[in-house]
Amino acid sequence: MDSHQYHRTDAFPLENGASLPEFHLAYTTYGTLNATRNNVVWVCHALTANAEVSDWWEGLFGAGKLFSPEKDFIVCANMLGSCYGSTHALSTNPETGTPYFHEFPLLTNRDIVRAFDALRQHLGIDRIKVVIGGSMGGQQLLEWNIMQPDVFEYAIPMATNAQHSPWGIAFNESQRMAIAADQSWKEASPNAGMEGMKAARSVALLSYRNYDTYHNSQQEKSGQQPIDRFRASSYQQYQGQKLADRFNAFSYWTLSKAMDSQDVGRGRGSKQEALANIQAKTLVISISSDLLFPPSEQAFLAGHIPHATLATIDSFYGHDGFLLEYKQMERAISRFLS
C-alpha cells in the first residue's frame, strides 16, 4: 500500500454557490497500473471510513483476495470533508490562516465526486474497470457514473440509494441534534462536540443494525439478571467512545449533511432519467435486513439502470452486512465480473 496526497491549488466551486480556495485529498494505491491501463479498481468508502481499504474491507481487498494488488491497481481516496488526510473543517483555511471550524462550507455528494474526478484526471486514468462502494460510498458511485458515464466498465453499488430517504435524513438530523446539544459544540476547538458525537454514533448504530442483531449479540449471559449496566448499554457506550478515538464531530456533521444531499435527479429531470445515463455494467447489491437503506431502494436502482442486475445478500447484520458478509459478496461479484 502506498499513501499519497493530491493538492488542488485553484478555487473549487461547490454546488451551494460557495467555494473552497484549495483542497487536499489523501488517497492510497495498491498494486501497479498495467501497460494497457485497464486494471483500475476504485473504491468509494463509507461515512467514517478512510482510504486504507484493506484495513476495513479485508474480506474483499488484499493479497490473494477478490481484488488483489497482484492483478489490480486499487485506488481509494478519502472523501473531501473527512478527517483522514483530506481537507475538512479542522484544516487551515488559507485565506485566514486558521482552521475553518464551523465556517467549513456545506458539501454535497456531487462536490465530493467532482473532487474524486479531479484526482482521477490528475492520475491520468481514462477508464476505471471496476468502481465499488457501499452506503454513502455507493451514493457517490452512482453520482460519478451519471456525471462521467464513459469512464466506468463495471459498477458495484451496495446498500445505497438514488435519493436519501426522509427516514435516513431523520436519523442523521437526530445525530446532529445530539452533537448540537453538547455545549462544547459552540467552541472553535478540535474537540468541540465530541460527547455529542458519541451519542450520535449510538443513534447511528441503531440504524446500522436491527432488533435481531442486538437480540443475538447483546443478550445478557445465561443466569445473569441485572437491573442496570446491561450488555446493550455498555456496547453503545463502547461504540461511541471508539468513534471518538478516531474521528471528530466536525467531519461527522459535514459528511452526514452530504449524505442527506443525495438526489441523483436534482436538476436532471428525475431520478429515473438520471439513472438511465449510466453505461457501466452494474451489479446492485442489497442486504436483506437493512433498515437504513432497505432492499426496495436497491430494487429501484436495478430497475432503472440500463445494464443492471440485483443480488440480495441474506444477513441479520442489517446495513453493516455490506462490510461483514464478504463471502456472499465475493460469490456474487465473481459471478458478475466473469
Side-chain angles (χ1 to χ4, degrees), residues 128-257:
I128 292 174
K129 181 179 180 181
V130 178
V131 60
I132 182 171
S135 192
M136 187 175 182
Q139 291 179 331
Q140 293 163 3
L141 178 160
L142 295 169
E143 274 289 346
W144 203 356
N145 271 265
I146 293 165
M147 286 185 187
Q148 298 284 0
D150 296 332
V151 167
F152 304 96
E153 184 176 357
Y154 297 98
I156 307 173
M158 301 180 175
T160 194
N161 54 21
Q163 181 177 7
H164 208 40
S165 65
W167 174 248
I169 292 169
F171 264 111
N172 284 342
E173 185 64 22
S174 297
Q175 293 166 58
R176 290 189 294 269
M177 288 170 67
I179 293 172
D182 182 339
Q183 289 300 305
S184 71
W185 177 239
K186 301 172 185 178
E187 301 169 6
S189 163
N191 293 320
M194 291 297 278
E195 291 302 315
M197 189 185 72
K198 294 177 187 178
R201 185 63 164 183
S202 180
V203 172
L205 275 173
L206 301 179
S207 69
Y208 299 160
R209 309 293 171 82
N210 57 47
Y211 176 94
D212 290 330
T213 312
Y214 277 85
H215 185 76
N216 290 330
S217 66
Q218 301 305 320
Q219 282 273 24
E220 301 304 319
K221 294 181 180 179
S222 177
Q224 294 184 349
Q225 297 177 319
I227 61 172
D228 196 8
R229 300 187 179 184
F230 300 96
R231 288 189 69 196
S233 302
S234 62
Y235 180 74
Q236 297 302 96
Q237 295 281 351
Y238 165 76
Q239 290 293 344
Q241 184 61 54
K242 186 178 177 182
L243 184 68
D245 289 342
R246 67 177 179 87
F247 217 67
N248 69 71
F250 290 96
S251 285
Y252 204 91
W253 188 284
T254 297
L255 298 183
S256 67
K257 286 273 191 179

Side-chain angles (χ1 to χ4, degrees), residues 7 15 24 39 44 55 74 89 108 111 123 126 138-139 144 155 190 241 244 246 263 274 295 298 305 308 319 327:
H7 185 198
E15 191 179 0
H24 290 83
N39 67 330
C44 297
D55 287 351
I74 301 163
T108 68
D111 298 322
L123 295 175
D126 295 324
Q139 291 179 331
W144 203 356
Q241 184 61 54
R246 67 177 179 87
D263 180 0
Q298 292 86 60
I305 296 173
H319 183 59
K327 290 183 179 180

Side-chain angles (χ1 to χ4, degrees), residues 6 8-25 80-81 87 95 100 104-119 121 147:
Y6 165 59
R8 173 167 166 155
T9 57
D10 58 326
F12 185 65
L14 303 174
E15 191 179 0
N16 72 341
S19 66
L20 284 170
E22 63 176 21
F23 71 79
H24 290 83
L25 285 186
L80 196 62
T87 295
E95 295 180 341
Y100 289 95
F104 194 73
L106 176 73
L107 298 179
T108 68
N109 272 333
R110 292 186 188 180
D111 298 322
I112 293 169
V113 166
R114 286 177 47 249
F116 287 162
D117 203 60
L119 171 60
Q121 294 177 54
M147 286 185 187

Side-chain angles (χ1 to χ4, degrees), residues 252-286:
Y252 204 91
W253 188 284
T254 297
L255 298 183
S256 67
K257 286 273 191 179
M259 179 185 284
D260 290 351
S261 77
Q262 176 74 357
D263 180 0
V264 299
R266 186 171 58 250
R268 295 171 175 148
S270 68
K271 295 187 292 291
Q272 293 89 333
E273 290 176 78
L275 293 171
N277 289 324
I278 295 177
Q279 296 181 16
K281 302 177 190 72
T282 303
L283 174 65
V284 181
I285 293 182
S286 179

